[in-house]
Amino acid sequence: LLIGVIGVAVVVATGLYLASGEFADRLIRLVAAVQTGDLASTAETSMTNRAWMMRRAFELALDNPFFGAGLDAFKNEQYAPGLQVGYNSHSNYLEVLASTG
């Protein structure tokens, strides 16, 4: 009975967290972007930039599949000429894959 009560409490607390504040707004925009297939329609540059960073990390991994692009190689990647977006790919798995192959 105690485990059931704890489980219900965790589910309720998670639901309340997901439905409140900035996280809920971001989640709603993400769901809308997935449904429409247009990430730019969300008007959220954070998600657009993160998606680009993860895609670029995956491309680096594909370009250098055996030995990777080298440690911290993502720091030198640019979104556009002269415009650097972030110092990492915002995904540890993709960062390691791009760095070490």
Side-chain angles (χ1 to χ4, degrees), residues 1-38:
L1 181 63
L2 180 62
I3 292 174
V5 170
I6 291 173
V8 168
V10 167
V11 169
V12 169
T14 302
L16 289 173
Y17 175 72
L18 291 176
S20 66
E22 181 182 347
F23 184 80
D25 295 338
R26 198 172 258 188
L27 183 60
I28 289 168
R29 286 191 296 262
L30 178 61
V31 169
V34 169
Q35 289 174 342
T36 62
D38 183 17

Side-chain angles (χ1 to χ4, degrees), residues 33-91:
V34 169
Q35 289 174 342
T36 62
D38 183 17
L39 191 60
S41 68
T42 63
E44 167 110 13
T45 58
S46 176
M47 282 196 295
T48 305
N49 290 343
R50 287 172 190 257
W52 178 85
M53 288 185 271
M54 287 189 269
R55 184 183 65 198
R56 186 61 192 128
F58 190 70
E59 290 170 355
L60 273 174
L62 290 178
D63 291 344
N64 306 289
F66 298 110
F67 299 109
L71 296 176
D72 291 334
F74 196 82
K75 279 197 238 181
N76 299 322
E77 289 301 309
Q78 295 183 349
Y79 185 74
L83 179 61
Q84 182 175 350
V85 179
Y87 290 101
N88 58 42
S89 68
H90 287 284
S91 168

